[in-house]
Amino acid sequence: MRVHIATDHAGMELSSHLITALTAKGYEMVDHGPSAYDAEDDYPSFCINAALAVVADQAAGVDALGIVLGGSGNGEQIAANKVKGARAALAWNLDTAKLAREHNDANVVAVGGRQHTVEEATALIEAFLTEPFSNAERHIRRIGKIAAYEATGVVAE
């Protein structure tokens, strides 16, 4: 699986750890930055580029997911969700990480690097990456309604 990862200054140490740890587990890691620490960096471009790459890979049939990191993960999730076709979910415990995949077929996970130890954050991300989508009809229907709104601006009943 290809995994696109992006962060801001608050998640750089976690990002570096994840790139090493997930590469060792066989994931193909693609780092969307930043490449150097800057306390004044702006996360939107990094996170949007990671989400764009996930959506493009999935459209091309590549097995791909994304990770966006920051202090809280909130802004990073918001930025990733601006990409058409991205479904970014903020994970703060194992249940939210797994349910993001199982029920929502999320393709990007957001985690707050200042909210968890490296071990906790790694466990959340591994749970997200390994949890399959349930393919339950009700979840497919709900995701379809979100995609339809994204495409048309019309809220489905």
Side-chain angles (χ1 to χ4, degrees), residues 13-148:
E13 286 183 35
L14 178 56
S15 179
S16 178
H17 164 78
L18 289 168
I19 290 168
T20 300
L22 295 174
T23 297
K25 290 187 176 242
Y27 291 97
E28 177 190 349
M29 300 300 295
V30 181
D31 187 359
H32 291 271
S35 59
Y37 181 86
D38 177 359
E40 296 295 318
D41 66 9
D42 294 327
Y43 61 82
S45 58
F46 305 125
C47 296
I48 290 168
N49 283 330
L52 284 167
V54 169
V55 170
D57 273 355
Q58 289 182 336
V62 176
D63 187 19
L65 293 172
I67 302 165
V68 294
L69 307 167
S72 70
N74 283 313
E76 294 74 20
Q77 176 200 28
I78 292 167
N81 274 322
K82 297 303 179 188
V83 173
K84 184 177 180 180
R87 289 179 306 283
L90 179 65
W92 63 89
N93 62 29
L94 288 174
D95 285 339
T96 58
K98 290 177 182 180
L99 288 170
R101 291 284 307 131
E102 183 184 353
H103 288 188
N104 307 113
D105 199 17
N107 52 11
V108 177
V109 65
V111 173
R114 292 180 176 156
Q115 311 306 310
H116 308 281
T117 66
V118 168
E119 295 78 18
E120 290 169 345
T122 302
L124 295 177
I125 289 163
E126 288 178 349
F128 176 85
L129 294 175
T130 59
E131 186 70 28
F133 177 52
S134 71
N135 280 304
E137 186 279 328
R138 71 183 190 275
H139 299 308
I140 293 169
R141 182 182 68 245
R142 293 166 185 163
I143 293 164
K145 287 182 176 186
I146 294 168

